[in-house]
Amino acid sequence: MNKILIELILTNQCNKRCEYCDLDFKVKSLSFNELDLFIHFLKTNKADYTINFFWWEPLLEFGKLKYFFDNSKQYVSKFSIWTNWVLLNKEKLEYFRQNNIIIYLSIDNINLWKDIDLVLCSDYKDIININFINDPDFLDNSILIFEKIKQYWFKNISFMPVFSTKKWSKQSLVKLKNIYKYIKLNSKNIDLEIFSYFNWVSIDKQFVLDTDLNFYSDLDSLLWLQKQYKILDNLLKEEIDNKTKMWNLSKNNFGLNNLLDNYNIEEIIRLVFEIPKKSWDLLEYKIIDKILENGTKER
């Protein structure tokens, strides 16, 4: 049976405006009718599905998330959700635990998030993975925040430098290396992942369902993030759309074979390597990759 990872975008809205994020925010969300189309696709196209509720902030549409899960869980092997934690509460955490939905909880080093209830979240650490995002402008906070995360015995932590919207100076790179060393030495009993700025094409066939009902081939979100982060000029953004857009869910003849047949891995690899060359100087990011390469666990 084909293993398929689908990242389901419920909304183009978010309740935060993180300094390192430059996504386009729109008052636009999937409707219940559109979710029914997707559920019908899963029902009629058998595969080993993993569904990620991904981007911008899925918990803004918690009612639709529950509707989709309750009506599709018999067709899907695994579910996960990526959230900025603001809207988490005991009711939602209980629902996620009862239904084996894994939470990827994003925490950055910009502030000490006095408003996050780490005590509550730590009661659900069995279903929580911490995405510890490091902005180069706030690295002095990183070790303190890492120790705070450790204090509550979270076992799954991903160390993620911001790469798409922030430039790294030589000074910040030295700090990053020292922070990385510290975290690596002080992560006993923690399943630690170190994400480099650049990752190879995923071994899974990945697709994004955007709110225009189109499926897109995805590259660990690399090209899609570049497009959203406005690094690329409009012609290159159009090229990404043209090369990665695969099919529209509302088409009557849309099936799993159509999806897989349209996955052009050679073209995707070309885009991964050619578009960055056209868009910005990779020198700083090559240095980051060099710093993190020892012990790096690729996604």
Side-chain angles (χ1 to χ4, degrees):
M1 184 176 289
N2 290 305
K3 293 185 66 174
I4 305 293
L5 169 61
I6 297 178
E7 295 181 335
L8 177 58
I9 300 172
L10 289 172
T11 181
N12 289 131
Q13 303 177 71
C14 189
N15 55 341
K16 292 188 71 178
R17 294 294 184 270
C18 299
E19 294 194 24
Y20 46 81
C21 179
D22 195 23
L23 287 171
D24 293 325
F25 300 102
K26 305 172 184 176
V27 185
K28 188 176 181 183
S29 301
L30 283 175
S31 67
F32 286 102
N33 287 338
E34 290 170 336
L35 288 174
D36 284 337
L37 281 174
F38 190 22
I39 293 167
H40 177 73
F41 166 80
L42 297 173
K43 179 180 179 180
T44 54
N45 293 272
K46 304 298 183 184
D48 183 3
Y49 290 109
T50 296
I51 304 292
N52 286 342
F53 298 100
F54 197 58
W55 287 354
W56 282 225
E57 176 46 56
L59 290 185
L60 287 171
E61 294 288 353
F62 184 64
K64 290 176 182 175
L65 186 155
K66 286 182 65 176
Y67 176 84
F68 179 83
F69 177 82
D70 291 340
N71 290 281
S72 68
K73 58 187 177 183
Q74 62 267 46
Y75 314 121
V76 179
S77 300
K78 297 178 183 177
F79 289 89
S80 61
I81 179 170
W82 297 69
T83 178
N84 60 30
W85 56 258
V86 174
L87 297 175
L88 280 176
N89 55 31
K90 189 173 181 65
E91 175 193 359
K92 294 184 179 73
L93 288 164
E94 283 291 337
Y95 178 81
F96 293 144
R97 175 181 277 168
Q98 291 169 9
N99 291 288
N100 297 314
I101 299 176
I102 299 300
I103 300 169
Y104 289 88
L105 184 62
S106 294
I107 295 175
D108 59 51
N109 65 342
I110 292 177
N111 59 68
L112 300 181
W113 12 273
K114 296 176 182 178
D115 49 345
I116 183 173
D117 192 345
L118 275 179
V119 176
L120 172 63
C121 289
S122 66
D123 290 338
Y124 298 87
K125 53 182 168 284
D126 55 310
I127 60 167
I128 290 179
N129 292 272
I130 299 290
N131 292 321
F132 182 29
I133 302 168
N134 282 254
D135 185 309
D137 296 330
F138 299 90
L139 291 175
D140 289 341
N141 294 335
S142 293
I143 289 177
L144 181 61
I145 292 176
F146 173 71
E147 288 297 334
K148 188 171 182 179
I149 296 170
K150 275 181 59 181
Q151 176 186 343
Y152 292 95
W153 300 99
F154 288 99
K155 299 297 183 184
N156 300 289
I157 301 175
S158 299
F159 179 69
M160 303 177 69
V162 174
F163 64 87
S164 292
T165 59
K166 294 292 185 81
K167 291 289 185 179
W168 290 76
S169 67
K170 289 184 179 180
Q171 182 181 13
S172 62
L173 285 169
V174 171
K175 285 186 179 181
L176 177 69
K177 184 173 183 179
N178 290 333
I179 292 165
Y180 167 50
K181 284 183 176 179
Y182 178 90
I183 289 177
K184 190 175 180 183
L185 288 172
N186 292 276
S187 57
K188 185 179 180 181
N189 299 322
I190 291 175
D191 182 11
L192 181 68
E193 282 192 313
I194 309 295
F195 285 177
S196 63
Y197 85 95
F198 194 90
N199 288 288
W200 190 253
V201 178
S202 172
I203 57 173
D204 290 320
K205 296 204 181 325
Q206 297 194 37
F207 310 98
V208 172
L209 175 65
D210 204 349
T211 49
D212 56 3
L213 292 187
N214 284 308
F215 277 93
Y216 293 84
S217 54
D218 188 41
L219 317 158
D220 281 332
S221 302
L222 178 65
L223 288 181
W224 198 252
L225 275 173
Q226 286 181 14
K227 174 177 176 288
Q228 291 295 337
Y229 279 123
K230 304 175 183 177
I231 289 175
L232 307 179
D233 61 40
N234 288 331
L235 287 176
L236 290 176
K237 290 179 183 180
E238 290 176 9
E239 184 177 1
I240 292 177
D241 274 347
N242 291 335
K243 298 296 184 182
T244 63
K245 187 179 292 184
M246 304 178 69
W247 217 264
N248 190 284
L249 190 64
S250 59
K251 293 183 180 295
N252 294 328
N253 61 344
F254 178 53
L256 189 62
N257 288 336
N258 302 123
L259 200 61
L260 298 178
D261 289 345
N262 278 276
Y263 189 83
N264 188 337
I265 189 66
E266 291 79 13
E267 184 61 34
I268 297 305
I269 291 174
R270 187 192 71 77
L271 285 172
V272 167
F273 288 101
E274 291 300 320
I275 286 183
K277 290 178 185 176
K278 299 176 184 177
S279 56
W280 83 90
D281 183 355
L282 283 174
L283 177 61
E284 293 91 342
Y285 305 109
K286 288 179 182 176
I287 295 173
I288 292 176
D289 211 31
K290 182 73 172 176
I291 287 174
L292 297 180
E293 66 183 2
N294 293 326
T296 297
K297 182 177 180 182
E298 298 289 357
R299 278 187 284 181

